[in-house]
Amino acid sequence: MVDFVGAGCGAKDLITLRGLKLIQQADVIIYAGSLVNPELLEYAKPGCEIHNSALMTLDEVISVMSAAESAGKRIVRLHTGDPSLYGAIREQMSRLDGLGISYAVCPGVSSFCGAAALRAEYTLPAVSQTVIITRMAGRTPVPERESIESLAEHGSTMVIFLSTGMLEELSARLISGGYSTDTPAAIVYKASWQDEKVCRCTVGTLAETASKYDIHKTALITVGEFLGDSYELSRLYDSGFSTEFRRAREST
């Protein structure tokens, strides 16, 4: 049995209780060494076999899983954040299907949720009710219909992964798509880790800000007016708004 476990966004105590239990029970752990906080491996039981997938190919990962399965061992594939976001788990699951090896997925806290240090709300009334999660094209291509320019046309909240090394181009594409140069933005480096950095800036100063704070990778880029100061109050707690649990009160 293989359990794909979301390690959370970084901090050791932000893993789910289910994920923690699976790590503690595992006989074999294959973890994404370039991204997962190694402190999480402290939860592993004595004698647990640990592999760093940053040094492995897909074939090597599957080979370890297959050998462990044949030996009746419990396997945890530990991915950063939530494994369904940029986790490359589909290709692993397809290979396991072909081998007849069962698996399950334990969700985790994605880094875009871990960016709580922004002290902001992605979905502010009258500002944005949509969050676009995307990335710049690199060695992994992005479909043309999902270009930064076309997504920026919506003017909604954007959270951009895996793009810290291309910030000059990202700024140009965001501006070409419709954001102004002074649209609020922020760079969140290693969300929830001990060395986390939150750098507020604008769309036009993304590259300059990253250079100033020596940020080159492992960061999220957030863009949108949700980082500004103007918004409307929620109707949820409005005294004049009825809900299933509370009746509207008349103004006096």
Side-chain angles (χ1 to χ4, degrees), residues 44-238:
K45 65 185 179 183
C48 179
E49 181 183 324
I50 295 176
H51 298 265
N52 181 354
S53 66
L55 309 173
M56 303 165 73
T57 65
L58 175 60
D59 285 342
E60 289 169 338
V61 168
I62 299 301
S63 177
V64 169
M65 290 178 176
S66 181
E69 174 71 12
S70 296
K73 296 179 179 180
R74 295 203 61 166
I75 308 127
V76 161
R77 179 66 168 106
L78 191 59
H79 279 272
T80 183
D82 183 279
S84 65
L85 278 175
Y86 305 112
I89 63 170
R90 177 64 183 272
E91 60 198 46
Q92 297 172 72
M93 293 189 293
S94 294
R95 293 284 293 273
L96 294 175
D97 285 336
L99 294 169
I101 297 175
S102 60
Y103 56 85
V105 180
C106 175
V109 179
S110 170
S111 58
F112 89 90
C113 297
L118 283 168
R119 299 182 182 179
E121 181 180 345
Y122 287 132
T123 52
L124 278 178
V127 175
S128 177
Q129 293 292 289
T130 300
V131 181
I132 295 176
I133 296 171
T134 190
R135 60 167 295 172
M136 288 275 284
R139 285 185 295 178
T140 299
V142 172
E144 182 59 34
R145 65 182 181 276
E146 296 178 7
S147 69
I148 295 294
E149 293 92 332
S150 63
L151 297 178
E153 289 178 6
H154 296 282
S156 58
T157 298
M158 290 185 71
V159 181
I160 304 160
F161 283 70
L162 303 168
S163 304
T164 314
M166 300 176 277
L167 292 183
E168 288 190 9
E169 181 183 355
L170 175 61
S171 288
R173 287 174 174 264
L174 289 168
I175 293 166
S176 176
Y179 288 107
S180 66
T181 58
D182 60 356
T183 298
I187 302 170
V188 183
Y189 171 76
K190 298 184 76 170
S192 85
W193 293 61
Q194 288 188 348
D195 52 348
E196 171 188 83
K197 295 178 186 177
V198 178
C199 307
R200 296 270 189 151
C201 57
T202 65
V203 167
T205 60
L206 280 168
E208 174 188 337
T209 303
S211 177
K212 178 180 178 180
Y213 291 99
D214 196 29
I215 298 172
H216 307 289
K217 60 180 181 179
T218 325
L220 285 177
I221 311 304
T222 62
V223 174
E225 293 296 339
F226 80 98
L227 290 165
D229 297 321
S230 299
Y231 65 96
E232 292 183 3
L233 296 180
S234 143
R235 300 296 299 277
L236 181 60
Y237 302 109
D238 188 332

Side-chain angles (χ1 to χ4, degrees), residues 6-19:
C9 47
K12 180 182 176 182
D13 58 351
L14 280 178
I15 192 166
T16 64
L17 290 174
R18 182 184 298 178

